Amino acid sequence: MTSDARHSLPTHDVLNQPPVRADLDLWASDPVLQNVAGARSSILRNYGADLGRAAVRDMAREANFHSPELVLFDQGGRRLDEVRFTHSYHHLMQLSQSSGYAAVAWSDLPNGHATHAAMVYLASQVEPGHCCPLTMTYAAVPALAANEEIASIWVPRLTEWNHDSSIAPIASKKSATLGMAMTEKQGGSDIRTNTTTATRDGDHWRLRGHKWFCSAPMSDGFLTLAQTPGGLTCFLVPRWLDGERNAIHLMRLKNKLGNRSNASAEIEYHDALAYQLGDEGAGVRTILEMVHHTRLDTAMAPAGLMRAALSEAHYWVSHRSAFQRRLIDHPLMRIVLADLVLDWEGALTLGMRVAQAFDGHTPEDKAFSRIAVALAKFLNNKRCPVVVVEAMEVLGGMGYVEDTPLPLLYREAPLNGIWEGSGNVICLDILRTLTRDPLAAQVLQAELEAATGVNRHYDAALRDHRARWTNIPPEAEARWFAERTALLLTASQLIRQAPGPVADGFVASRLTGNNGRIPGSVSGLDTGALLARLG
């Protein structure tokens, strides 16, 4: 047992500082998640308790302060092309994989995608970097269905509830992770301009080219795109071969703003062995199966970041005083935090509704998941940086210091808005989906209609929305349309699932225009009821 830290110092006594946070239970302390999860609470209960332990949070800090190391050669000059991580990183990977982060959605357990989405939300509150390889592993499973032989070898290992970091060919692995390498310098999101080439080599292919971004380069394989005589085609590139390393050269690690525990790299294929997935020329269609599922995670992660930031801010104002009273008792502080709660609860509720559609099997479920995941990704990621920076400001100077989690959350806040389609790309996808997929438009309208008759302000906002956009809007209005549609979709979920103060507050402040443009510039919120949502 260790003794308490000293409060009495030679020059002063340490007063008016919140106690260091001990173990947290991220599931038990989150009434909103418990209400909307629609998932296997036993898995989430255990995972939330484990993630919140002080020792695990310390590991998360270590994994971010000690970034991955690129090791290109051994001492004799032979190529290794490895990235080495801290013990803490591997502990986090084991915790998440053994809990089912990448696997539960593909198991026989019910509500698998909703359970997975809730795990993304929980993990993002503690250490978002290790989520990257696990999210891609989860999302790769449906894409591998394009090649039954490959799927039979890889999918059982991708869906194993275990972490195996060994360097070995896939047949020798207990479990595996799968990454993605699509982006090239000249194209960015325009992947049809990719120049990496694939040359037939017997039953397989050899890839040659440069990839500007490779997420999680120590994965056991990568989904990638390359040009064949038949057009842009999807391939699985294994990291390790029998008796040798595949010809994948790591050129450098990206010096990123955040996501520091996870490595991202530039790589080159030097006639690397690859297996074809799907038909020649159908690469975009094949890889979109993976992109669709990664977008679910990029819609859920910002809700977790917002929750973590608000939890820190709420803890701070509950234990610190200024001007003769606790910060939490100041009306202006209360209205700011209450307003931010609406962003977080809206993001979580919408994200979980989308995840439940991923669990559905009807054409309507699939159509709703296509349109709603894009709307949720767009709105949730636009609100996340705002919420995090306001929470940082609540802590004052301490929010800007690495002793608190706020700098990590701040660096992470923009990531999911960029990954898997930045804002403009997502908005154009929304317009394209509604134009080409009549069923998606129908189920979206049905979801919005399902909340009518309860809140007259919502009903009026929905009528105005339809009057403004009787048809698909022009491209220049895509962001306006996407934001408004996503706000309405969020409100429709809150009206049906959240308490009155939450739903009414969201509608009044987000849909009526009766507020300013910065958090806290609103009146009439039930601050007590909203702050209670923080647990």
Side-chain angles (χ1 to χ4, degrees):
M1 176 180 291
T2 59
S3 58
D4 291 339
R6 291 181 59 200
H7 287 251
S8 180
L9 304 180
T11 57
H12 64 286
D13 291 333
V14 178
L15 304 171
N16 199 25
Q17 282 287 325
V20 175
R21 302 188 83 174
D23 289 350
L24 307 175
D25 190 326
L26 302 184
W27 167 263
S29 63
D30 193 334
V32 181
L33 178 62
Q34 294 173 36
N35 180 55
V36 302
R40 293 187 63 85
S41 59
S42 59
I43 292 175
L44 299 179
R45 184 183 301 112
N46 293 334
Y47 189 54
D50 287 341
L51 278 171
R53 289 188 292 114
V56 173
R57 303 201 317 272
D58 286 344
M59 288 182 181
R61 291 172 58 82
E62 179 181 332
N64 278 271
F65 278 117
H66 300 285
S67 299
E69 177 189 4
L70 178 62
V71 183
L72 293 177
F73 303 95
D74 70 8
Q75 64 182 15
R78 293 168 285 266
R79 288 204 74 98
L80 290 175
D81 293 296
E82 294 178 11
V83 181
R84 295 178 183 170
F85 299 87
T86 64
H87 169 75
S88 293
Y89 176 85
H90 286 295
H91 182 93
L92 290 161
M93 289 286 288
Q94 174 61 29
L95 171 59
S96 291
Q97 283 192 285
S98 65
S99 300
Y101 184 115
V104 68
W106 312 114
S107 70
D108 294 330
L109 299 174
N111 304 312
H113 290 283
T115 304
H116 164 79
M119 296 179 81
V120 174
Y121 167 78
L122 290 168
S124 297
Q125 297 178 44
V126 177
E127 206 299 291
H130 83 290
C131 295
C132 178
L134 298 181
T135 283
M136 291 185 295
T137 300
Y138 150 77
V141 171
L144 292 182
N147 185 320
E148 293 183 2
E149 182 181 356
I150 294 298
S152 68
I153 298 170
W154 283 79
V155 170
R157 292 167 174 85
L158 299 180
T159 55
E160 180 66 32
W161 296 45
N162 191 26
H163 174 55
D164 181 354
S165 62
S166 63
I167 295 174
I170 187 66
S172 302
K173 300 273 290 191
K174 295 178 180 178
S175 68
T177 57
L178 204 60
M180 183 189 294
M182 291 197 298
T183 307
E184 296 184 5
K185 293 176 181 177
Q186 74 284 348
S189 295
D190 187 5
I191 55 178
R192 295 183 187 277
T193 65
N194 283 8
T195 62
T196 295
T197 58
T199 303
R200 176 71 75 174
D201 182 9
D203 293 334
H204 310 308
W205 296 81
R206 295 286 176 176
L207 269 55
R208 176 169 287 270
H210 182 100
K211 294 296 181 179
W212 191 227
F213 271 94
C214 174
S215 300
M218 280 302 284
S219 299
D220 295 289
F222 310 106
L223 293 191
T224 197
L225 295 173
Q227 299 288 354
T228 70
L232 192 64
T233 303
C234 186
F235 294 92
L236 169 62
V237 187
R239 190 77 171 85
W240 322 110
L241 305 176
D242 289 326
E244 62 177 333
R245 294 163 188 254
N246 205 358
I248 305 170
H249 292 185
L250 274 58
M251 308 309 294
R252 63 170 174 166
L253 298 185
K254 294 293 192 180
N255 187 13
K256 299 172 295 185
L257 169 66
N259 210 243
R260 292 180 176 176
S261 70
N262 172 55
S264 300
E266 291 176 41
I267 67 170
E268 288 184 354
Y269 297 131
H270 290 256
D271 296 326
L273 182 71
Y275 307 110
Q276 182 178 332
L277 294 177
D279 297 332
E280 275 194 64
V284 173
R285 184 169 67 249
T286 304
I287 202 73
L288 280 180
E289 282 295 323
M290 185 176 189
V291 171
H292 177 58
H293 286 79
T294 53
R295 281 185 177 176
L296 173 61
D297 289 24
T298 60
M300 287 303 305
L305 298 174
M306 287 188 266
R307 165 68 182 180
L310 287 174
S311 176
E312 291 296 325
H314 188 249
Y315 185 77
W316 179 267
V317 299
S318 298
H319 290 85
R320 188 167 170 86
S321 298
F323 309 110
Q324 290 76 54
R325 53 180 168 173
R326 288 190 311 159
L327 288 173
I328 191 62
D329 296 326
H330 287 266
L332 187 55
M333 181 64 73
R334 293 177 69 81
I335 196 69
V336 169
L337 289 177
D339 200 10
L340 298 176
V341 164
L342 294 174
D343 284 320
W344 154 62
E345 183 159 353
L348 174 55
T349 305
L350 177 58
M352 290 306 301
R353 171 65 185 93
V354 174
Q356 289 156 15
F358 274 68
D359 279 316
H361 301 290
T362 68
E364 289 78 11
D365 290 326
K366 296 182 184 302
F368 182 72
S369 73
R370 286 193 295 273
I371 186 63
V373 75
L375 289 164
K377 171 176 161 51
F378 179 70
L379 181 62
N380 292 357
N381 283 293
K382 291 305 177 188
R383 298 311 304 161
C384 181
V386 176
V387 172
V388 171
V389 80
E390 287 286 350
M392 177 182 283
E393 189 174 322
V394 166
L395 273 66
M398 281 304 298
Y400 204 66
V401 174
E402 296 284 354
D403 292 343
T404 74
L406 270 300
L408 182 152
L409 299 172
Y410 178 77
R411 290 191 295 269
E412 199 74 19
L415 171 62
N416 293 283
I418 298 170
W419 188 25
E420 300 299 23
S422 56
N424 285 356
V425 170
I426 294 298
C427 289
L428 294 176
D429 280 354
I430 291 168
L431 299 191
R432 190 178 302 111
T433 298
L434 293 175
T435 300
R436 298 178 179 178
D437 188 348
L439 184 56
Q442 292 171 19
V443 294
L444 175 60
Q445 288 303 317
E447 193 78 12
L448 297 176
E449 281 286 347
T452 57
V454 178
N455 184 302
R456 62 184 178 87
H457 298 297
Y458 172 82
D459 295 353
L462 183 57
R463 287 194 301 270
D464 290 345
H465 181 72
R466 289 173 174 165
R468 176 67 185 81
W469 289 292
T470 56
N471 296 302
I472 303 300
E475 180 178 319
E477 293 184 13
R479 282 197 170 212
W480 184 13
F481 174 81
E483 177 190 21
R484 197 67 178 173
T485 306
L487 286 170
L488 285 163
L489 186 58
T490 303
S492 76
Q493 308 309 315
L494 295 175
I495 288 171
R496 287 175 286 164
Q497 298 191 57
V502 177
D504 294 343
F506 189 93
V507 170
S509 60
R510 271 62 174 169
L511 295 178
T512 68
N514 188 28
N515 64 295
R517 299 187 64 178
I518 59 175
S521 56
V522 62
S523 64
L525 298 182
D526 186 339
T527 59
L530 292 173
L531 294 178
R533 305 299 280 171
L534 291 170

